[in-house]
Amino acid sequence: MGEEGGLLSYKTKQPLKEQSLKVVDADATPLTAVAEAFEQLARFIQSGDRSLRLSTFGNACSLVSVLFGCLGFAFKFAELEYVAKVHDLIQASNKYETLQSIIDNDVKHNTVRHKGSHSRNLRRVRLGLGLIQALFENFLATKEGSLKDAATTAYGQVCAPFHNWAIRQAVGAGMYALPTRDQLISRLNETDNSVQKEMRRYIDASSPIIQYIDDLYISRNISLDW
């Protein structure tokens, strides 16, 4: 798989720094746990170690599935797809050490865009992270804004360009089943003040992670139009 001698990065053959997520307080809300995990991922990247451990990334991403669940039936399609793709990446971490290594392996075998490939699943997970980020940004844009408007805009920005007509129609219909703003805050076990703080933490922390993943594809001359 292109890695030798233990904890080595795929490209540089240099030892990887330890990248274990610190356990979040058991009393932390789901949103706080997600924000904390992604802040840790961001610190790993910003520390200068450009090889992100796949297992660490997968464990952080698994926490985000709870956020999809809080959105109810409207985002069930996204939750099911996201959870399946994250599970694949976590399983892949038994063989591949880093995010780079799964993409390089698929590049080598010309399977980057093949259905079920790890590179394709990573791309879908990245879209899921971007969807939550965009939804939070829209949600916070106006204090009285509706969750339906925020979610519709976020979906149109992030996922709709890659979905066929049937999926887009189903998603549009499901938007009417979204919880209200107050219901979402309650499901997240937050208050109006705390939800703004924790959503902003996730938005800020996920940005370098999303950019990092995009750069992995772009640096290998792989477009992002899929």
Side-chain angles (χ1 to χ4, degrees), residues 134-154:
L135 188 150
F136 284 178
E137 288 175 336
N138 295 329
F139 186 83
L140 297 178
T142 171
K143 186 174 179 61
E144 301 302 327
S146 75
L147 180 59
K148 176 180 177 295
D149 290 344
T152 299
T153 301

Side-chain angles (χ1 to χ4, degrees), residues 7-9 14-19 49 51 53 97-98:
L7 304 183
L8 303 185
S9 67
Q14 296 298 315
L16 282 176
K17 296 178 181 178
E18 181 62 30
Q19 294 180 349
D49 185 359
S51 296
R53 194 184 292 272
E97 195 69 43
T98 64

Side-chain angles (χ1 to χ4, degrees), residues 169-223:
Q169 289 297 107
V171 172
M175 291 295 181
Y176 292 95
L178 281 167
T180 65
R181 181 187 182 92
D182 289 342
Q183 286 173 336
L184 176 62
I185 293 174
S186 177
R187 291 181 184 182
L188 292 171
N189 295 322
E190 302 288 350
T191 65
D192 192 60
N193 289 329
S194 69
V195 78
Q196 295 182 52
K197 173 186 175 182
E198 300 305 327
M199 284 186 175
R200 177 55 58 187
R201 288 179 67 193
Y202 172 79
I203 291 169
D204 293 342
S206 62
S207 290
I209 308 304
I210 289 172
Q211 187 60 58
Y212 172 81
I213 296 171
D214 286 350
D215 288 345
L216 291 179
Y217 293 98
I218 294 171
S219 65
R220 291 161 175 77
N221 296 316
I222 304 169
S223 66

